[in-house]
Amino acid sequence: MFSSQFDPSQRAQAVSTLATDDFDVLIIGGGVTGVGAALDAATRGLKVALVESQDFASGTSSRSSKLIHGGLRYLEQYDFKLVREALHERELLVSTLAPHLVKPVGFLYPLYEKVRERTYVGAGLALYDALRGFQRSLPGHKHMSQKTVSEIAPSLRLDLVTGAVKYFDAQVDDARHTMMIARTAARHGAVIATHMKCESLIKNGKRVTGAKVRDAQTGKLISVNAKATVMCAGIWSDELHAQFGLKPGYNVAMSKGVHIILPGSAIHSNSGIILKTEISVLFLIPWGNQWLVGTTDTPYTSNPNTPQATREDIDYILEQANKVLQPKLKAEDIIGAYAGLRPLVANKKDSLTTKLSREHTVDRSAPGFVSVAGGKYTTYRIMGKDVIDLAGIELRRIIPESITEKVPVVGADGYFALVQQTNFIAEKSGLSAATITHLLNRYGSLINEVLEVIEDNPKLSKALDKDLPYLKAEIYYAASHEGAQSVDDVMSRRTRISFEAPNHGIELAESIAAIIAPVLGWSVKERKDSVRAYLEIAELETSSLGISMSSV
Ligand SMILES: Cc1cc2nc3c(=O)[nH]c(=O)nc-3n(C[C@H](O)[C@H](O)[C@H](O)COP(=O)(O)OP(=O)(O)OC[C@H]3O[C@@H](n4cnc5c(N)ncnc54)[C@H](O)[C@@H]3O)c2cc1C
């Protein structure tokens, strides 16, 4: 009945509906929490709108470690409730909700001592496995000798590492997953528009009855009427509460986390690796044929819109990894880097951010206005459920229970069968089996839509670049179906070229603009402006690093 396609005509329709209709719920923020709340509300039969000031996942939700995990380190903080809840979500995502996007990933936990440490870590991982409950799509933990470690991960220093315990978690392309949840919410009737910024609230006495939102494309201010306004603004929560003249029961502290990307050849290991550091942990995560290594955890108080990786961050990551790696990682091997800001819910202003709970808070700071913040990417579904439960009170009628445990993300339906048919699809489409696997892991059963783009224009079956896995058709599809409205949307979030290609992939910006221009109806000037805007972002990020990266 409803479409999950985000293209310029859908956006125009959504903007006009925002202005004319009355909604049960208006959601502010299109990170994973906001789109999760939109899906939760829509599938309870509520009339839902969502506005996002920039692009889906343009805040923290595109800059995480990309792990769907229980969080081993929360076990050490005795936060069993959070771990159990997150492991339940991990299971749901891998098996049912988004198996095309969320994949198992193994980690070695190296040991440096023979008996005591193995007992301690083994007991911790046994508890981690036990907290999974009875449904178990991922393998349990396994003890490994030094010899096995040397075979699996030759890069680990055997003069230090005496053995390891291997365990499993899951990983996801966070920005893609967030956008796919938004598409799923639209598929269930949510009216969604990006590049729409909420500027103020509409009030009737003390009651909030909606919000005024500015369309970045036309500059027009639109009034959106809703019985409940739900803010899911992550690190922007404090700023918006102040702007709206509301006093919430919590504050959001920011903590910066940086990751670097290295070529596959930089680390010899068939498994991810987790290293304990003095303040937290460092992950070495396989990412396609590259490595994602991070993260840092430092308090942050500057502009939330422009977190950047600095030379200091990079040095810290290299230093921690190089304690156990041989050969050592070098700064000049780094292909890319990104920084994100954790939204940490704080009750006391002076708390140390690393010590704060990762759990979320829901709050009602005015009649008709509720918010949620904190949490983890992994627990977005629960955050969405909790905040819509609270918003339901504003509707003054009984609303159905949340059913998102049973609502797969678009593309999940039929995915496992399509995987079995990979060779058949390859033969029929003329693409290689490896390309079909790549497409299934990004689109699931929506692969048909990408193949249709190729049928209409066979030239788009070609790779965008010989060193990247993306087809030109995927770039086109990003604008025709996935709501990309700029070169940055495509390079930073629909694909991850911005950190996967050397030099932020700037030499590809022109060809990407040329592919999406006809879909977006751009003039020559608009096309140039979008390329220039991306180059400015890339320049800012490169200059903050103060190092020359691989092929820069
Ligand atoms: C370095 C790092 C690593 C992490 N790793 C993991 C991990 O591996 N696993 C995990 O589970 N979690 C992880 N997290 C945590 C996780 O990424 C966050 O908890 C989650 O992404 C927060 O999502 P959100 O939707 O609440 O916030 P955001 O994604 O920041 O979304 C808020 C949105 O609100 C929008 N907005 C702001 N103001 C307005 C306005 N006026 N009008 C309209 N929209 C507005 C913003 O543009 C933004 O898109 C990590 C976080 C960091 C920083």
Side-chain angles (χ1 to χ4, degrees):
M1 193 173 154
F2 299 102
S3 168
S4 72
Q5 181 172 357
F6 290 145
D7 66 3
S9 70
Q10 168 277 333
R11 186 178 184 279
Q13 179 62 51
V15 172
S16 97
T17 309
L18 286 175
T20 52
D21 287 16
D22 287 333
F23 293 90
D24 289 321
V25 177
L26 165 64
I27 291 162
I28 302 167
V32 74
T33 310
V35 298
L39 178 59
D40 188 278
T43 52
R44 293 187 200 217
L46 303 181
K47 195 164 159 60
V48 184
L50 180 145
V51 290
E52 159 56 49
S53 60
Q54 300 175 63
D55 182 25
F56 299 122
S58 52
T60 308
S61 298
S62 57
R63 299 151 185 268
S64 76
S65 302
K66 319 200 187 309
L67 294 176
I68 298 296
H69 60 164
L72 256 194
R73 69 199 186 100
Y74 306 124
L75 273 188
E76 285 206 307
Q77 297 165 5
Y78 302 108
D79 208 340
F80 301 132
K81 181 176 170 281
L82 176 62
V83 176
R84 192 174 44 235
E85 196 171 73
L87 288 175
H88 175 69
E89 293 305 306
R90 185 188 75 176
E91 176 63 32
L92 269 179
L93 284 160
V94 173
S95 64
T96 315
L97 301 186
H100 51 319
L101 304 175
V102 182
K103 305 288 175 187
V105 58
F107 285 99
L108 288 182
Y109 191 123
L111 304 172
Y112 306 97
E113 187 263 341
K114 280 201 171 143
V115 184
R116 212 164 40 92
E117 197 190 9
R118 189 178 282 283
T119 312
Y120 179 72
V121 174
L125 286 166
L127 177 61
Y128 195 63
D129 283 347
L131 288 170
R132 290 181 291 174
F134 293 110
Q135 282 180 317
R136 300 180 168 187
S137 298
L138 304 186
H141 74 286
K142 219 173 152 185
H143 284 264
M144 288 182 171
S145 65
Q146 190 187 50
K147 183 168 177 297
T148 313
V149 170
S150 72
E151 286 158 11
I152 295 182
S155 277
L156 282 175
R157 280 177 55 184
L158 292 185
D159 56 324
L160 295 174
V161 176
T162 57
V165 187
K166 183 164 182 179
Y167 74 98
F168 278 82
D169 262 321
Q171 70 179 156
V172 68
D173 179 338
D174 47 6
R176 263 206 90 60
H177 177 249
T178 296
M179 175 275 297
M180 293 288 255
I181 301 171
R183 288 188 66 179
T184 312
R187 165 87 187 69
H188 291 284
V191 175
I192 297 181
T194 56
H195 301 279
M196 291 292 272
K197 184 173 186 171
C198 174
E199 291 194 345
S200 59
L201 299 179
I202 306 168
K203 290 184 185 165
N204 183 355
K206 286 198 168 152
R207 176 163 285 277
V208 175
T209 58
K212 293 195 173 170
V213 300
R214 178 135 356 237
D215 182 347
Q217 285 186 359
T218 59
K220 261 182 150 178
L221 195 62
I222 296 167
S223 294
V224 186
N225 296 314
K227 295 188 183 77
T229 299
V230 176
M231 190 171 79
C232 304
I235 52 168
W236 288 272
S237 301
D238 283 6
E239 183 185 314
L240 288 184
H241 273 125
Q243 190 176 322
F244 300 155
L246 299 175
K247 289 202 172 79
Y250 62 91
N251 286 109
V252 175
M254 295 184 280
S255 155
K256 189 174 80 165
V258 167
H259 291 83
I260 57 173
I261 286 76
L262 292 153
S265 57
I267 302 168
H268 302 288
S269 175
N270 292 336
S271 166
I273 299 171
I274 179 172
L275 303 174
K276 213 164 174 310
T277 66
E278 267 162 41
I279 53 160
S280 179
V281 290
L282 192 81
F283 289 108
L284 283 62
I285 309 166
W287 180 259
N289 58 4
Q290 299 176 326
W291 288 95
L292 204 58
V293 182
T295 176
T296 58
D297 193 347
T298 47
Y300 183 89
T301 49
S302 308
N303 185 349
N305 298 320
T306 51
Q308 273 148 25
T310 62
R311 176 73 210 219
E312 229 182 354
D313 299 320
I314 305 287
D315 286 347
Y316 169 82
I317 294 171
L318 292 178
E319 187 194 322
Q320 295 301 321
N322 283 338
K323 282 184 182 169
V324 294
L325 293 182
Q326 191 65 45
K328 291 192 186 309
L329 305 177
K330 296 189 285 293
E332 55 271 27
D333 291 338
I334 298 173
I335 297 169
Y338 63 86
L341 299 172
R342 298 176 185 85
L344 303 178
V345 178
N347 296 326
K348 288 187 211 146
K349 279 225 152 121
D350 299 333
S351 309
L352 280 174
T353 50
T354 39
K355 294 262 165 63
L356 295 176
S357 164
R358 261 58 174 170
E359 284 184 85
H360 61 270
T361 292
V362 289
D363 182 76
R364 179 178 185 262
S365 51
F369 188 89
V370 300
S371 67
V372 59
K376 286 154 54 85
Y377 195 101
T378 307
T379 51
Y380 78 90
R381 198 189 62 80
I382 298 175
M383 294 172 72
K385 169 188 175 302
D386 288 349
V387 78
I388 297 303
D389 278 346
L390 188 62
I393 298 166
E394 309 298 332
L395 305 186
R396 295 175 186 164
R397 65 175 200 261
I398 294 172
I399 63 165
E401 293 283 315
S402 170
I403 56 151
T404 47
E405 266 200 41
K406 300 182 207 149
V407 183
V409 169
V410 287
D413 178 33
Y415 164 72
F416 289 113
L418 288 168
V419 170
Q420 316 261 48
Q421 296 165 341
T422 298
N423 290 335
F424 173 64
I425 304 169
E427 214 173 286
K428 205 162 161 250
S429 64
L431 300 171
S432 70
T435 300
I436 297 301
T437 300
H438 159 82
L439 295 177
L440 285 174
N441 288 339
R442 286 170 53 77
Y443 307 93
S445 52
L446 298 181
I447 189 174
N448 290 341
E449 294 179 351
V450 182
L451 296 178
E452 273 166 27
V453 167
I454 294 175
E455 260 170 48
D456 290 347
N457 184 352
K459 281 189 193 151
L460 295 176
S461 68
K462 299 277 172 278
L464 176 72
D465 178 82
K466 70 176 177 35
D467 294 323
L468 292 169
Y470 308 108
L471 303 183
K472 290 182 177 172
E474 296 182 73
I475 306 302
Y476 183 96
Y477 183 83
S480 69
H481 287 72
E482 298 182 336
Q485 290 173 41
S486 68
V487 170
D488 180 43
D489 292 352
V490 175
M491 297 188 72
S492 298
R493 289 169 294 277
R494 300 308 178 279
T495 68
R496 309 319 289 270
I497 295 170
S498 63
F499 63 71
E500 290 173 343
N503 211 4
H504 299 278
I506 54 174
E507 61 282 8
L508 296 170
E510 290 278 2
S511 37
I512 286 173
I515 295 171
I516 61 175
V519 185
L520 299 175
W522 278 347
S523 64
V524 174
K525 181 179 176 306
E526 284 169 319
R527 183 171 141 182
K528 283 189 178 157
D529 285 350
S530 194
V531 171
R532 192 177 315 115
Y534 180 72
L535 298 188
E536 279 169 15
I537 295 169
E539 167 63 28
L540 194 68
E541 294 190 351
T542 308
S543 62
S544 74
L545 275 178
I547 54 169
S548 69
M549 294 185 291
S550 162
S551 315
V552 175

